[in-house]
Amino acid sequence: MKTLWTNGHIFTMQSEGNTVESVLVEDGKIIKTGSEEILLPLAEEVKSLNGASMYPGFVDSHIHLIGHGEKLAYLDLSTINSIEEIVVKVAGLVKKGEWYVAEGWNDNKLIEERPITCFDLDHLKETPIVLKRVCRHVLVANSKAMELAGITKDTPNPTGGIIGKDSEGNLNGLFYDEAQQLITSKIPPTTTEYLVEVIKNSVADLQSKGLTGVHTEDMAYYGPYTVPLQAYREVIGESFRTHLLRHHEAFEKMQGEEPTDFIEFGAMKIFIDGSLGGRTALLSEDYSDDPGNKGVAVHDPEKLEQLVQTARKYNETIAVHVIGDSAVEIIIDLIEKYPVVFGKKDRLIHVNVLREDLVERMAKLPVVLDLQPIFVPSDFPWVIERLGKDRLNWAYAWKSLIDYGFECSGGSDSPVEMADPLVGIDAAVNNKFLPEQALTVFEAISLFTTGSAKAIGKENERGKIAIGFDADFTIVDRELNAMTLLKANILETIVAGETVYKNNNLRVK
């Protein structure tokens, strides 16, 4: 059936300010755009926007979809500002003998101004408890969890991780980066049935936020990759475009898996370093507030080189978590040594801290930068103490990178941050901490439309309202500008021409 969308403000994202009067859709594709007068006779169905604004479907280019769904269901520690309150609320939810897991605590926002430790939790002696830091690069485990994991003060640090200890050499319950697996590997595995419900709830919530798809990384945290993949296959159908990055541990095992039109398989996901909040991001100079600490390398050089070679063996790209400038330098060296096959682009995720020499080298490589604008209001002002003012010139430098000519996509990193694209777009536009790095509204929306399409080589079929492109649309109740981003409401989310979310309680503003 040919459906005509009209009677609103339709922003194509082909260029700044470009609009069309009407869009004609058939079989999930845009077949014509133009005036209502010309297209109306071709339509079998007409849908009025009633003055609302239509954009290409928003896509979050960096999220953990299952983690987002779990966050909807359990205690969100990011909303609590004291260790005492966290402990009280956790104590009210745990069940004797059953593992309890939650996440979101942020010592930079806790009134105690320190991380949670096992000493805060050890009055809960019969329940293993794991609380993940907001960045997901640090967790705290109580003594029961460490006992079940067989961790003692003599347990050596694993490669790429640190087991936390107090000043007297006793375990404090903190586990950094790869050391977290010593604990998380002992948590009872999840089932496909559990994940089906989590994914259903997550997708429904993301659709209500105007998202028509995401790029997510979930293939190595819920038992064998087949467990979450089967859950995705049971849930997704044709209602949400899901691009699955493949964690390096699952990458080769997944080579025989067949994609669908709505479940795609992407790059090998690799972590180089940790987070600035946990002081595990890999820096070329010491942390300004922690002399002697330059962060943590997740892999030794030989392992990292082997991973890149494996991706190239399959003519595949890599999607690499790099927060600190030293981490960026490490992966640039390897991309230069093992270039991606012609026509494809590697993805550098986060790139929070850079140097001008690194930017110049990056510009010569086929890379897309996967940015998280919402990191700025989340990380400032405390990150200034971490980095010192001298490193801020190329820190969170979204505008500078776009002006330099880099192709950039936009994501939330939920459940680390909020998965609302309008909040992310607003963070990019109304950047009060780094006003010189503020983006225009067009640039910011591009991160979640054309940019996300470029990140996976789909720029000729997604991210714009144009002939031949997928009919994925996000409809909001007003035109988006710097003043309306946080006031706007999602009215409807369209995937492949079909309405997957509709808010019947709102009117156009």
Side-chain angles (χ1 to χ4, degrees), residues 10-23 30-34 54-57 441-443 445-447 449-451 454 459-470 473:
I10 302 174
F11 295 86
T12 69
M13 295 306 293
Q14 296 190 65
S15 61
E16 187 165 6
N18 184 259
T19 60
V20 293
E21 191 173 305
S22 302
V23 177
I30 298 168
I31 60 172
K32 288 185 181 295
T33 65
M54 173 187 278
Y55 294 84
V441 174
F442 177 77
E443 289 171 335
I445 294 175
S446 294
L447 295 177
T449 53
T450 55
K454 290 174 182 177
E459 58 265 44
N460 294 319
E461 54 191 281
R462 294 181 198 160
K464 298 178 183 178
I465 296 178
I467 294 173
F469 278 61
D470 290 332
F473 309 126

Side-chain angles (χ1 to χ4, degrees), residues 60-272:
D60 189 315
S61 68
H62 185 69
I63 194 172
H64 305 274
L65 187 147
I66 292 175
H68 176 75
E70 289 182 316
K71 186 176 181 179
L72 297 173
Y74 61 45
L75 179 63
D76 181 2
L77 303 181
S78 68
T79 64
I80 306 175
N81 296 321
S82 77
I83 294 174
E84 181 179 1
E85 185 179 354
I86 287 174
V87 172
V88 168
K89 291 193 173 182
V90 167
L93 294 171
V94 298
K95 296 179 181 179
K96 182 179 177 180
E98 294 184 12
W99 284 79
Y100 180 82
V101 181
E103 67 180 87
W105 60 270
N106 185 350
D107 45 305
N108 293 306
K109 296 183 179 180
L110 294 173
I111 60 175
E112 292 87 353
E113 298 182 342
R114 65 171 176 83
I116 309 171
T117 70
C118 63
F119 309 118
D120 299 307
L121 300 167
D122 276 352
H123 65 287
L124 301 168
K125 296 181 179 180
E126 298 184 16
T127 302
I129 297 171
V130 176
L131 306 180
K132 299 177 183 178
R133 192 182 185 277
V134 64
C135 63
R136 285 189 150 194
H137 289 271
V138 185
L139 66 76
V140 61
N142 71 343
S143 292
K144 186 63 176 181
M146 289 189 284
E147 174 192 331
L148 293 174
I151 305 298
T152 71
K153 64 180 182 180
D154 297 320
T155 301
N157 289 328
T159 301
I162 296 173
I163 300 171
K165 296 178 181 177
D166 64 16
S167 58
E168 297 179 357
N170 296 313
L171 295 170
N172 63 12
L174 292 167
F175 292 78
Y176 298 83
D177 284 295
E178 292 300 289
Q180 294 179 104
Q181 294 187 31
L182 299 174
I183 298 293
T184 57
S185 63
K186 303 303 179 182
I187 299 173
T190 54
T191 64
T192 295
E193 291 74 20
Y194 165 79
L195 293 178
V196 163
E197 293 305 310
V198 171
I199 293 170
K200 282 181 181 177
N201 294 334
S202 185
V203 168
D205 182 69
L206 296 171
Q207 289 170 336
S208 75
K209 291 175 168 56
L211 288 164
T212 59
V214 296
H215 308 166
T216 180
E217 200 264 294
D218 306 293
M219 293 292 105
Y221 312 110
Y222 306 95
Y225 81 86
T226 51
V227 175
L229 180 57
Q230 180 60 33
Y232 272 111
R233 292 197 188 281
E234 291 183 24
V235 174
I236 294 302
E238 299 182 351
S239 65
F240 200 66
R241 300 195 190 275
T242 308
H243 185 88
L244 300 177
L245 298 179
R246 292 169 286 184
H247 188 281
H248 69 83
E249 291 182 356
F251 179 79
E252 283 198 281
K253 299 172 185 176
M254 294 184 68
Q255 289 303 311
E257 294 290 349
E258 289 295 326
T260 71
D261 289 342
F262 291 84
I263 299 178
E264 305 161 347
F265 302 122
M268 175 191 282
K269 174 68 181 292
I270 305 172
F271 287 85
I272 301 291

